[in-house]
């Protein structure tokens, strides 16, 4: 109730990113379970929990792990934008386009995994993330 609509608009892409990450986690769990039931796991070192998964499970794992790489910079950015009251329509639009690029990247990663599709989605996200950080820095220090 204390949140203004603006803060909710700023935080909404974070919630979307978290939900997407959780969906990927469930996809990963499903694919690992499927691989386990089919006997498709190669044990490399059971004591160290090192296994070689079939491609469809490994893709989901890599996609899940990828959600803790550049998105961490987004997770750090949003609270700073809220705390410094530098949020505006441009930030919200950039944040949603950033999320769309992350969603596209994850969908490609978990399906056909074509680098020719995945890399542009990744690059767009990185460029948008850099732009949002530069905009914050300019607003704070210019």
């Amino acid at each position: 109730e204390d949140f203004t609509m603006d803060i909710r608009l700023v935080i909404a892409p974070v919630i979307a990113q978290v939900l997407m990450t959780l969906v990927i986690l469930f996809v990963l769990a499903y694919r690992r379970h499927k691989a386990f039931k089919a006997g498709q796991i190669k044990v490399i070192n059971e004591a160290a929990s090192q296994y070689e998964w079939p491609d469809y499970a490994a893709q989901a794992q890599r996609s899940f792990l990828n959600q803790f790489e550049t998105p961490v910079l987004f997770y750090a950015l949003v609270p700073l934008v809220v705390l410094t009251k530098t949020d505006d329509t441009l930030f919200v639009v950039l944040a949603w386009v950033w999320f769309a690029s992350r969603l596209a990247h994850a969908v490609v990663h978990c399906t056909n995994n074509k680098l020719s599709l995945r890399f542009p989605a990744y690059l767009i996200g990185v460029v948008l993330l850099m732009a949002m950080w530069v905009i914050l820095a300019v607003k704070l220090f210019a």
Side-chain angles (χ1 to χ4, degrees), residues 7-86:
I7 291 175
R8 284 185 279 216
L9 287 173
V10 173
I11 294 173
V14 174
I15 294 169
Q17 175 65 27
V18 168
L19 292 175
M20 182 185 72
T21 301
L22 293 172
V23 167
I24 295 169
L25 177 60
F26 283 103
V27 168
L28 171 58
Y30 170 78
R31 289 182 179 183
R32 282 186 169 181
H33 178 72
K34 180 179 171 184
F36 179 77
K37 283 185 74 172
Q40 297 174 313
I41 303 168
K42 180 180 175 188
V43 177
I44 297 171
N45 183 342
E46 191 171 355
S49 296
Q50 293 178 336
Y51 308 102
E52 186 175 307
W53 297 92
D55 285 346
Y56 66 93
Q59 282 172 234
Q61 178 182 1
R62 287 190 298 272
S63 185
F64 179 71
L65 293 174
N66 191 261
Q67 303 314 312
F68 299 96
E69 293 174 358
T70 59
V72 170
L73 298 174
F74 182 71
Y75 292 141
L77 175 65
V78 174
L80 291 174
V81 167
V82 170
L83 288 171
T84 59
K85 297 181 173 48
T86 54

